[in-house]
Amino acid sequence: VLLRVKPSVNSLYLDVSGSSVEQKIYIELKNTVPCVRLLNATHQIGCQSSISGDTGVLHVLETEADLDWILSTGPHPPYMVLMEATFFTRPTMMRMKNSTRVAGVAVINSNTTAVESFSPHTSCPNQNTGVYREDYGPDLANCSSTVWNPLGNSMSYEDFTFPIFSLKDDNQTQVMRKCYEDHNMRVNGSAPQYPLCAMQLFSHMHAVTDTVTCMRRAEVCDPLSDFNVWASIRPINASAKGHKNNESVVIAAARLDGRSFFWDIGTSAEGTVSGIVTLLAAAHALYPVTQEAPPVRNIFFTFFQGETFDYIGSSRMVYDMKQDKFVINLDNVHSVLEIGQVGLRNGQKLWMHTDPVSRKNSTVDEEVINLVDNIKSVASTLNVSLDEPNTTQALPPSSFQRFLRVQPIPGVVLADHKSSFINRYYESLYDTADYLNMTYPSDLSPEEQMEYETEASKSLTEVATLVARSLYKQAGGNDRLLVNITADAKMMAKLLYGFLVRSNNSWFSSLLPPEAGAKGRSSILESGPPQYYIGLRQDNSVKSVTRFVQFVMANATGTVTSLNQIQCQNPNDVPGESKDLYSYHWVSGPPSANSTEGDPYCVRTSVRLAKALSPAFELPEYGSREYSTWTESRWKTIRARIFLVASPQLEMLTLGVGVTVLLVSLVLTYFISSKAELLFSSTHETPNTTY
């Protein structure tokens, strides 16, 4: 028996006006984000509900006594647990997982509440798909020498049989609290009386067991995939694949993705964004000088997507290079400089990590020493302190490891940690702009905030300058021009604002095509930051963060042309233009002086997208141990709602009355049907009429 939630609760916070019975019974909860099921070659992780949704009596978890009530003494199991994020810990969740008295969990995601440390990721990220294994540095495999993420509790990699949702801390959670206080609150330790406030969560997942199983069954799961972004200082013929003669490139890399426990929530400020913005600002600082005085080697910028899930993007690019399906191959790669987590430097040292195994090769070691010396030489002229960890220490989790799995290549991973991560919120929902201390004066408008230089932007501007000058020097550029390479502090401020605070801003809008900008029906701009979970490619769409990086990079390293829109779409028809060497984009442009509308123009750039789909799904080898096999389950409905539920006794009474009425109705119907001729026959014969 479902009872209507009190109008006082209903109307105080939510507009559920309507005539349908469902609207009168249920309060639908918006802004909910589920934990979903992910699968790889060996197992499944995540959460799901039953096919008809899971229902339980709502109970707010605030103390240890509440937890005991839920798991042991409460008389109305199963319970739907509503908790603040501070209670969302592995010990608590594992106790619930091992109990039959929990139907689901709703976690309130507050912008103001943060625990001292929380990382639901593993303590050894990507340990099975990095370079260290039995035949390559076995003493370094499985983080045996350095535990990179010691705070990692692996909760994101557990398999929960009940639904877990994230809720925004807004009016809806107040509705739930009031419903709980009015109906479910214990009085002097005694159990509450019916009717009780209940919650129902729907998040049934179609896929089960592992990727091998779900890919064999059609249309139940999909591979995690998107696109890598790459660009080069000198254009490379994209139509010709494989080795390029007389082409040597220095790869500058960063990753594009992150995650948290919940689907499509991944803010990843330190974990991901610090590297993205550093490399974008470095490319912007480099471009003018490289056009004036090109270095001996080409500089190849690449942003890898899906690195959180066993290096999807980097493994795909390396695979394509090895198969001569990419614009260059591995023999064209001179060296690699990867930007890791650099956002928490705060005036402290940056660390240059190298691979001790490949350095046993004297040729590789010589080039690594040269790269390290180049970076140190540049740092000596800047306000940046550098150091190297012990040369026997393994590389931290990094895309560079996927290159080393195939070929010994000189390289450095630049990071703000010597050994273990200093990031206390690695791959969690707390790794936000606030964690990087990005605070703004309260009297600034959104547009003024966008250009405000926070301490984080100042620090990362210094790192970007270091990276830009180091790349130019490593590429064989003119040392006398290094002083002309300086990252733009205003640009860094705008990058951080767009990627971590609000993507719907005038600068991002001006860089995008009109259809993707603020006025377009297909706008990818949001009132908050983009999310960095790789997700799935729906209808060949591109993740918003990938698009932002693509067009910011086009702005940083491209050239404004005089082509009109038609010519921009078909540049091969224009003498001197080539789609083999460049990509062309018609972008919105900044607003003109007398209008709020942008003044569109055509940008010529070397920036391109490359598929970030694990080779395992093209070979196909769904049980691969070499490549990522992560998939995401499909689902039909994601919903959350609350309502009042009557006591089991009243439900049984109602059922009994209903069955009795049904039986009586059947008996009456049979009796009336069997006596129809007697009951409904006419007492007079119809007279015959002759015409």
Side-chain angles (χ1 to χ4, degrees), residues 657-669:
V657 171
V659 171
T660 301
V661 170
L662 174 63
L663 293 176
V664 170
S665 300
L666 291 174
V667 171
L668 286 174
T669 302

Side-chain angles (χ1 to χ4, degrees), residues 555-576:
N555 173 263
T557 63
T559 303
V560 177
T561 70
S562 59
L563 302 181
N564 60 37
Q565 187 172 4
I566 295 177
Q567 292 172 325
C568 195
Q569 293 169 347
N570 301 283
N572 282 345
D573 297 337
V574 181

